[in-house]
Structures are given as C-alpha cells and as structure tokens.
Amino acid sequence: MGNRAQVTVKVTDRVFLMAPPARFKPVEKVTTVTTESLQPKAITGIKVVSTEEKPKGKVRIEDAELIVSVGRGFKKQEDLKLAFELAEVLGAEIGCSRPIAADLKWLSEDHWVGLSGHKVRPKLYMAVGISGQPQHLAGMMESKTVVVINSDPNAPFFKNCDYGVVEDLYKFVPALTKKLREILKK
Ligand SMILES: Cc1cc2nc3c(=O)[nH]c(=O)nc-3n(C[C@H](O)[C@H](O)[C@H](O)COP(=O)(O)OP(=O)(O)OC[C@H]3O[C@@H](n4cnc5c(N)ncnc54)[C@H](O)[C@@H]3O)c2cc1C
C-alpha cells in the first residue's frame, strides 16, 4: 500500500509471488528454495476472444540510473523542454507524476512513476515540480539520492529527499542546466 501499510504473513501452503522489476534489492543469501512445476487447472466458463499486445515504448525507466522527473509544477507542455535539456546534460531519463501522463497526457505512460506507474531505483532521482504524494513516493523511495526542486517549502517531498531546493523551477532548472553544461563541458 505505497509503503503506508505492511503485513507479515506466515504461509503454510504454496504461494505465487509476483514482483515488478527493480522493486526490490536482490537478497544476498537465499536460505532454501525449492521450485516445482505446476499445471494450472483449466479455467472454465471464460473464452478468450482476442489478445492485443501492449505497444512497447522506447523508454525503460525502471532501468534508468539517473532520472529527472516532472510534475504539475510545469505550467505548459512546451515548458517540459527545460527538464529535457537538464536530462540531456546529465544523460538522464525523464520520469513524471501521474497527472502528466494520465490526465494531461504530455508524456507517455512509459515515464509514469509511482504506485500505479513504474517503480524505479536510480542512483539519482531529481523531482521537479512534484508535490511528493505517497502514491508517487511509492514508486521511487528506493532511489539512492533524491533531489527535490519545488517552490513550496511545505511540499511533502521535502520530508523525503536528500537535497531540497525551494525555488521556482523556471528560474532554477535553466540555471542548473547552464552550470552543469559548463562543468561537464557539454
Ligand atoms: C489510487 C491512486 C493511485 C495513484 N498513483 C499515482 C502514481 O503512480 N504516481 C503519481 O505520481 N501519482 C499517483 N497518484 C496521484 C497522486 O495522489 C498525486 O495526485 C500526484 O502525484 C500529484 O502530482 P504532482 O505532484 O505532479 O502534482 P501536484 O500535487 O499538483 O504538485 C505540483 C507541485 O508543483 C509545485 N510547483 C508549482 N509551481 C512550481 C514552480 N514554478 N516551481 C517549482 N515547483 C512548483 C507545487 O508547489 C506542487 O508541490 C495516485 C492517486 C491515487 C488515488
């Protein structure tokens, strides 16, 4: 439940576990695991009429080591170019909050981070204009270093970051891109 609730369950029978990619760190030592093949029982009363493959996007945000993620702090779709420029200098992928992909449709769902989006574990997660609601945090909490840029000092994300910048993204992001360009000579 987006890191808000946890439950410990003792299982005595077989269990079927599914984990999204990059969600958990691999355990160092596995005790005893035995695997066996099971033949699922045929399901009756359901007829598959047709199947359709989900179109594969170019972005594999789950595998990204560096992510610049955008939220509703951006006022217009064309303003996202500020984040794209920053991401280009860093060699980062672009992530986003749900409203950007699901409501505004400014970016494809490949970029969507969160409880109902992709779970990511990059070395650097830079959240720009994202408030930091639990459903978003659920997708990126295991990032190594989190940088938050938000003009509201009370944005919840500031409680969940390593570095917080209270500033208007329209001022800060271009200045950061310029500085990084000088440092990285790009
Ligand atoms: C069942 C369920 C599942 C959900 N799953 C997800 C999910 O997977 N991923 C997800 O992201 N959300 C998810 N949500 C939605 C989530 O609750 C939030 O509504 C969403 O994350 C908010 O997106 P946001 O931070 O971009 O927008 P907002 O909450 O509107 O925040 C915008 C932020 O931008 C800042 N800002 C504004 N102007 C500037 C500026 N000029 N410079 C700097 N900062 C500025 C504001 O201070 C604010 O903090 C889910 C919700 C539900 C109910």
Side-chain angles (χ1 to χ4, degrees):
M1 297 298 289
N3 292 336
R4 298 209 110 186
Q6 290 190 356
V7 64
T8 304
V9 185
K10 191 171 176 186
V11 285
T12 49
D13 204 348
R14 292 174 183 137
V15 286
F16 182 69
L17 294 175
M18 292 198 298
R23 187 68 186 93
F24 300 100
K25 288 192 194 105
V27 285
E28 273 161 26
K29 197 170 156 223
V30 176
T31 45
T32 327
V33 175
T34 50
T35 51
E36 53 182 289
S37 303
L38 291 175
Q39 207 50 48
K41 284 190 199 130
I43 302 167
T44 51
I46 292 178
K47 191 176 157 203
V48 178
V49 181
S50 70
T51 57
E52 215 172 284
E53 214 169 286
K54 197 174 173 188
K56 286 196 180 76
K58 286 190 195 124
V59 184
R60 285 262 321 157
I61 192 115
E62 306 93 311
D63 301 335
E65 295 214 322
L66 308 170
I67 298 176
V68 173
S69 205
V70 298
R72 255 200 322 220
F74 287 82
K75 307 289 174 259
K76 299 197 291 295
Q77 185 174 11
E78 52 267 39
D79 298 345
L80 295 184
K81 80 169 194 305
L82 299 176
F84 275 91
E85 282 165 4
L86 175 59
E88 197 199 331
V89 173
L90 286 170
E93 289 287 0
I94 290 282
C96 69
S97 64
R98 174 174 140 159
I100 299 294
D103 308 332
L104 298 163
K105 304 208 183 298
W106 289 353
L107 293 173
S108 69
E109 290 185 8
D110 304 333
H111 300 267
W112 174 350
V113 174
L115 185 63
S116 43
H118 297 280
K119 313 283 182 293
V120 298
R121 271 202 307 131
K123 286 184 184 154
L124 173 71
Y125 191 82
M126 201 180 276
V128 189
I130 302 179
S131 53
Q133 299 305 321
Q135 296 88 356
H136 185 82
L137 301 183
M140 48 62 63
M141 278 302 277
E142 289 183 34
S143 304
K144 201 155 179 225
T145 302
V146 179
V147 177
V148 168
I149 301 162
N150 197 306
S151 51
D152 175 5
N154 298 314
F157 226 144
F158 285 127
K159 293 201 181 86
N160 291 283
C161 70
D162 299 289
Y163 301 94
V165 181
V166 182
E167 187 52 280
D168 182 345
L169 72 91
Y170 287 90
K171 265 169 64 186
F172 187 76
V173 173
L176 178 62
T177 305
K178 186 167 176 272
K179 195 74 197 164
L180 286 170
R181 217 172 246 143
E182 282 163 26
I183 295 168
L184 301 170
K185 305 207 181 333
K186 284 197 174 174

